[in-house]
Amino acid sequence: MARRKDRGAPEVNAGSMADIAFLLLIFFLVTTTIASDKGIMWTLPPKTDQPPPEVKENQRNIFKIQINSSDKLLVEDEPLDDVRKIKDMVKKHVLNYGKDPKMSESPQKAIVSVKANRGTSYEMYIAVLDELEAAYNEMYAERAGITVDEWKRLDQSNPRMKALYDKARDGFPKQISIAEPSKI
Amino acid sequence: MSKFKKKTATKQDIPTAALPDIIFMLLFFFMVTTVLRETEIMVEQKIPRATQLKKLEKKSLVSHLYIGKPKKVDQFGTEPRIQANDAFVTPDDLILWVQQEKDKLSEADRDKIWVSLKVDHEAKMGIVSDVQEKLRESNARKVLYNVIQTAD
């Protein structure tokens, strides 16, 4: 009788399994988009039928920003080229405490008013909103005694952080008014 | 001759049999975490950049609106349009849309709805303000302007 050869256990070649898995892995890595719900948060004013109330505030308290349809800025009735200057101007205006007769009397009374045009680009509008947010975030962070990054990350469900948040916001409202855009 | 003959039978290569398992584990992780987009975006979306971003914590409360120039210009024209779910809508339809979105939430969360606006950077404020006006009317006043963090 012929001696049977010792073949051993039959094996499937699994060497390329890793390659196949890698291929799939790379496909999922590439197609995955991490959905981001990040942005500038804003609360719109409630809808009322009454016409807006007459401005009782002293004109000096209002910091006016106007944007026209070709994205040119008019800040406090002066043309402004660089959006990035708004941040410091707003901070100066709000933190004036009545020193300069042209600027706000106190942070409680300070109002920032933004008026865009229907032809203003969204990019410009966001740039202005971003500057205003930045100005107020910096002022709040300073009041709370933390850095701006820490301020932005404050978790309001945490009581200790909430106390810090409330302390900074107390008597220092963020009053930004966005007017309905004018038609051309 | 030396009595201690070196054993040469030890294998030098690292066993790679478990490699596919490791890769499969990674693969399953990515497959599970991937969220497939349920709506196809039909408008151009080049989101402007900004620095002062905040993150929304509760994703279930967010409804998305997309505004921009339609991708299929020959079919829908070049004027920026509003996309809600899968279709283009006019600003007047938004009141109904907000109601539908609110109905999806639980009773306690209805007034906490956030509307995320994803607007193309070339869109004009006219259409954005029309949307905002309707959102105010339908009492969904919390708005998130979706922007990308400036890389600096």
Side-chain angles (χ1 to χ4, degrees), chain B residues 4 34 38 40 51-52 61 80 88-89 93 104 108 117-118 124 129 134 138 142-143 151:
Chain B
F4 306 103
T34 300
E38 64 265 49
E40 188 200 350
T51 55
Q52 308 295 317
L61 298 177
F88 288 127
V89 294
D93 299 332
K104 286 182 196 165
L117 292 179
K118 283 196 172 179
K124 300 290 182 199
S129 69
K134 292 295 166 190
S138 43
K142 283 188 259 185
V143 169

Side-chain angles (χ1 to χ4, degrees), chain A residues 18-34, chain B residues 23 26-36:
Chain A
D19 299 342
I20 298 165
F22 258 123
L23 205 82
L24 280 169
L25 176 65
I26 289 162
F27 170 76
F28 274 95
L29 272 173
V30 169
T31 53
T32 300
T33 48
I34 296 163
Chain B
I23 305 304
L26 275 171
L27 176 65
F28 287 139
F29 171 75
F30 275 95
M31 281 176 71
V32 169
T33 53
T34 300
V35 186
L36 290 178

Side-chain angles (χ1 to χ4, degrees), chain A residues 40 42 44 47 118 120 130, chain B residues 51 123 125-126 133 141 143 145:
Chain A
I40 299 175
W42 211 263
L44 304 173
K47 180 88 180 172
R118 286 188 71 87
T120 305
D130 193 39
Chain B
T51 55
M125 276 312 290
E133 198 59 24
R141 296 193 285 114
V143 169
Y145 296 107

